[in-house]
Amino acid sequence: MFGYRVPAPDEAMLISGGRRGLGGAPFRVVTGHGKFVIPFFRKTRFLTLSMCESEVTETCVTRQGIALHVRAVIAFKVGNDHESIINAGQRFLSDQEQMSVLTGRIFAGHLRAIIGSMTVEEIVTERQKLAAEVLDTSKTEMAKIGLIVDSLQIQSIDDGDAGYIDAMSAPHKAAIQRQAQIAQAQATQASVEAEQEAARKQAQYARQTAIVKAEYSAEVDRAQAEAAQAGPLAQAHAQQEVLAAQTELAQRQAKLRQQQLVSEVVKPAEAEAERVRILAAAEAQRMKIQAEAAASYDRVALDRMLIDQLPQIVKEAAGGLAGANVNVLNGADGLGEIAAGLVSQGLTILDSVRQNLSGQDADGRRPEENKNDGLLQLPVSKEKRSNDGPVDVD
């Protein structure tokens, strides 16, 4: 829009004419937004708020009287507040390049003053302390002109041909070189040891590789040999299995034949033998029964015959007594005893005949042992007491 002005983000717009700015400033400050400016009655100028750089190269003398060439870089800018912008605008608005020149001169003076109060060792070893002291001493002076310093860096410190810094650093260089040599020797030793270890590992790996290759080769040879023998071994195993099967079949056939022989020969023979034995036993039993029956029949017939002949035997015995001189001493009792003796004699003869037929007499003797065969002996007691007196038999 005509007459409407807007400053850049890193600029401050200064409007002069009309009313005065804050604090009696001859202009108004506008930052961050636009402003309508009446043409011909107002005038606008822009002041940069961006970062600026100033380089300082100065020869400074230390407290020890040694001249040092110091190079420093200062980074600064115009402050963001209205007071700083007004102070900087009044001083540098027409020639903003002068901010870097003036800043360098201010810091050069402060740098000479501070380095003059320090030794070379302090300056070399404590550069940060040097920069902090320079910033602290220049802060107030820089604020007056509307500038603030962001950083101060000491770029280099050189004593020229004096050689003081080199001499100061010589022991450290020697120590560093010694440490470097030691480190190099250690590194060399470590490298040699590493090479030796690598060689040992390589030899060990080669040995293990050779062993593994040999094992693989032996395994391959063994597998090939087994493969070559697989056919004959399989055939031999098959033949062995066939022979085993044939042997088992033969054993089963022999066992079956044995069972057949047992059932066809042994069992019939045993049955026949048992039949013959049973028949023989039956025949023997039958003959025994027949013999016992015959013997029993003979004994019955003999007994019957003896019984039938007993009266005759007694009669003959009595007839034998006809011519004997018998004295009966006890009367009727004596005659009864004689009759009883005759009957008893007949019975004894009957038993004797039975025993002779059976092979022995009543006393268990053979018939030829009887010396008085055919003699009739009457058992008459020598003396018999009774009421009538003894009976004597002559």
Side-chain angles (χ1 to χ4, degrees):
M1 181 180 294
F2 183 77
Y4 190 79
R5 306 296 298 274
V6 178
D10 59 346
E11 290 179 341
M13 186 171 62
L14 308 179
I15 303 173
S16 60
R19 293 182 304 172
R20 290 181 175 271
L22 296 176
F27 49 82
R28 286 179 295 173
V29 178
V30 178
T31 58
H33 59 87
K35 189 74 175 178
F36 183 77
V37 180
I38 301 175
F40 306 109
F41 296 99
R42 303 287 187 272
K43 188 176 181 180
T44 58
R45 299 288 297 274
F46 295 94
L47 179 66
T48 181
L49 301 178
S50 62
M51 181 67 66
C52 298
E53 179 181 339
S54 177
E55 183 176 348
V56 177
T57 302
E58 192 69 23
T59 301
C60 306
V61 180
T62 65
R63 189 176 61 184
Q64 299 162 320
I66 299 173
L68 297 177
H69 302 285
V70 181
R71 180 176 175 271
V73 177
I74 304 101
F76 67 93
K77 66 181 291 297
V78 178
N80 293 327
D81 58 293
H82 284 196
E83 184 179 0
S84 297
I85 293 173
I86 291 170
N87 291 335
Q90 288 178 343
R91 290 170 177 80
F92 305 111
L93 184 61
S94 61
D95 188 6
Q96 298 185 25
E97 295 294 333
Q98 288 297 319
M99 288 190 294
S100 298
V101 177
L102 182 59
T103 300
R105 290 175 182 176
I106 293 173
F107 272 89
H110 289 292
L111 192 61
R112 284 194 303 269
I114 293 173
I115 287 177
S117 64
M118 299 176 67
T119 64
V120 178
E121 290 78 5
E122 293 175 347
I123 295 170
V124 173
T125 59
E126 299 180 358
R127 290 189 182 187
Q128 190 63 33
K129 179 181 178 181
L130 173 62
E133 290 183 0
V134 172
L135 286 174
D136 288 338
T137 56
S138 62
K139 183 182 298 183
T140 303
E141 190 173 355
M142 293 291 289
K144 289 180 180 180
I145 60 177
L147 302 178
I148 58 175
V149 179
D150 288 339
S151 67
L152 170 65
Q153 296 292 331
I154 306 298
Q155 297 292 322
S156 64
I157 299 174
D158 186 12
D159 61 352
D161 296 334
Y164 187 88
I165 296 177
D166 291 338
M168 185 179 63
S169 63
H172 300 286
K173 287 182 179 179
I176 291 172
Q177 290 177 355
R178 183 172 62 255
Q179 293 177 358
Q181 291 175 356
I182 293 172
Q184 182 65 33
Q186 291 177 351
T188 303
Q189 182 179 359
S191 177
V192 172
E193 291 177 355
E195 291 178 356
Q196 293 176 353
E197 183 67 20
R200 284 195 297 269
K201 290 183 177 180
Q202 186 175 3
Q204 184 177 4
Y205 179 76
R207 182 177 63 84
Q208 293 178 353
T209 303
I211 292 173
V212 172
K213 286 182 178 180
E215 291 178 353
Y216 285 166
S217 179
E219 186 175 357
V220 169
D221 294 340
R222 184 168 58 253
Q224 291 177 353
E226 291 178 355
Q229 295 177 357
L233 286 176
Q235 185 177 2
H237 285 305
Q239 292 179 355
Q240 185 176 1
E241 291 178 357
V242 170
L243 291 175
Q246 291 177 353
T247 302
E248 185 178 359
L249 179 60
Q251 291 176 355
R252 291 183 178 179
Q253 290 178 350
K255 186 176 181 181
L256 180 60
R257 181 57 182 166
Q258 182 180 3
Q259 293 177 355
Q260 291 177 352
L261 290 175
V262 169
S263 62
E264 293 177 357
V265 178
V266 177
K267 293 296 182 181
E270 290 179 353
E272 182 64 23
E274 183 66 18
R275 187 182 66 82
V276 172
R277 187 183 63 79
I278 293 173
L279 292 176
E283 182 65 21
Q285 186 69 20
R286 185 182 64 83
M287 293 177 66
K288 180 180 180 182
I289 293 172
Q290 289 178 355
E292 290 178 352
S296 177
Y297 178 76
D298 291 340
R299 284 195 301 273
V300 171
L302 179 60
D303 290 340
R304 184 175 298 276
M305 181 184 66
L306 292 175
I307 291 170
D308 293 339
Q309 296 295 326
L310 181 59
Q312 184 65 27
I313 293 171
V314 174
K315 182 179 179 182
E316 293 294 332
L321 292 176
N325 186 12
V326 178
N327 294 321
V328 179
L329 299 179
N330 54 354
D333 293 334
L335 291 175
E337 289 180 1
I338 292 172
L342 290 174
V343 173
S344 176
Q345 184 70 25
L347 292 175
T348 302
I349 293 170
L350 179 60
D351 291 335
S352 178
V353 172
R354 286 180 179 175
Q355 292 174 1
N356 289 331
L357 291 176
S358 62
Q360 60 184 0
D361 56 10
D363 296 331
R365 295 179 300 173
R366 302 300 297 177
E368 59 272 9
E369 295 177 359
N370 295 324
K371 297 180 180 181
N372 298 321
D373 291 343
L375 297 179
L376 179 60
Q377 297 179 359
L378 298 176
V380 180
S381 59
K382 293 182 179 180
E383 185 177 357
K384 179 69 173 177
R385 293 187 179 272
S386 65
N387 296 328
D388 296 333
V391 177
D392 294 333
V393 179
D394 294 330

